[in-house]
Amino acid sequence: MNRSSMFSRRVRLARVCGWLLLPLLFAITAACGASSLPGGVYSSQQYHFKITYPNGWQVNESNQPDAAAPLIVIITRSGERNANGVLVSSLTIDVLNLSALGGTQVAERLAKDKSLTPVTLAGLTAYRDRPTVQQGAGANSAVSVTHTDYFIVHGAYEYQLSIDALPGDGATLDTMARSFILL
């Protein structure tokens, strides 16, 4: 399997896991009666990073320590309802264990991938794919979502930051991604 198809499969798997978790996370939020939360900082000492999010956004996490992706963090605008497939903006951080992905060769493959653009995140060279615009379906067919992935390899982990931005949320999500810091 070539690097591109392996990489695409990992990204799709992480994205599907994130989208499958969203209805559950929204149900929990609604059950707790949370409509707006103060902004703050999400920090993981175990996985060596932190990220800042603004007022009105909420952090949800999924820990699976023995999985190839031991931590998935999804930050969404709080108070949104996920009824009948309503689209929401989100920033997802997938922490991937490099030992499950081929070790340090991952960084070499990222650097050689001509479809990715080198950028600086967390003071390190990261790689960004080309943003893609996806149209919603059904009742959401008039709404578009812009999807962008960032990839950072550091220490024993690869960090994949995925942005899904509804119109008007792109700048907020970009600011959140730029606030990502490795500890």
Side-chain angles (χ1 to χ4, degrees):
M1 178 181 299
N2 69 31
R3 191 220 89 47
S4 181
S5 63
M6 179 179 70
F7 205 57
S8 294
R9 198 171 95 210
R10 284 194 345 245
V11 169
R12 266 186 262 123
L13 175 64
R15 202 176 295 150
V16 166
C17 289
W19 283 109
L20 290 174
L21 288 174
L22 277 176
L24 173 63
L25 297 173
F26 285 119
I28 291 169
T29 300
C32 294
S35 60
S36 182
L37 299 174
V41 176
Y42 175 86
S43 181
S44 172
Q45 293 301 318
Q46 181 175 4
Y47 297 108
H48 317 288
F49 75 92
K50 69 179 180 177
I51 190 165
T52 304
Y53 57 94
N55 287 338
W57 291 73
Q58 179 174 338
V59 175
N60 298 283
E61 64 181 1
S62 172
N63 286 298
Q64 301 174 7
D66 296 328
L71 177 66
I72 299 172
V73 177
I74 303 172
I75 305 172
T76 57
R77 188 179 295 282
S78 61
E80 295 289 336
R81 301 286 184 244
N82 193 18
N84 299 323
V86 172
L87 299 173
V88 295
S89 293
S90 66
L91 184 144
T92 302
I93 303 165
D94 296 292
V95 178
L96 304 171
N97 186 337
L98 284 179
S99 65
L101 303 173
T104 59
Q105 297 168 344
V106 171
E108 295 169 8
R109 288 190 298 260
L110 286 169
K112 292 178 183 177
D113 188 332
K114 299 300 181 196
S115 69
L116 300 175
T117 303
V119 296
T120 301
L121 275 181
L124 298 173
T125 299
Y127 299 92
R128 184 189 75 215
D129 70 354
R130 178 172 296 166
T132 58
V133 177
Q134 303 164 333
Q135 286 301 125
N140 295 313
S141 63
V143 179
S144 63
V145 176
T146 302
H147 179 85
T148 309
D149 288 315
Y150 295 87
F151 308 95
I152 304 169
V153 175
H154 183 70
Y157 302 104
E158 177 183 349
Y159 303 88
Q160 294 182 1
L161 282 69
S162 298
I163 293 175
D164 289 297
L166 291 172
D169 285 338
T172 299
L173 288 160
D174 287 341
T175 299
M176 288 177 12
R178 285 191 308 275
S179 77
F180 181 84
I181 297 172
L182 292 165
L183 305 174

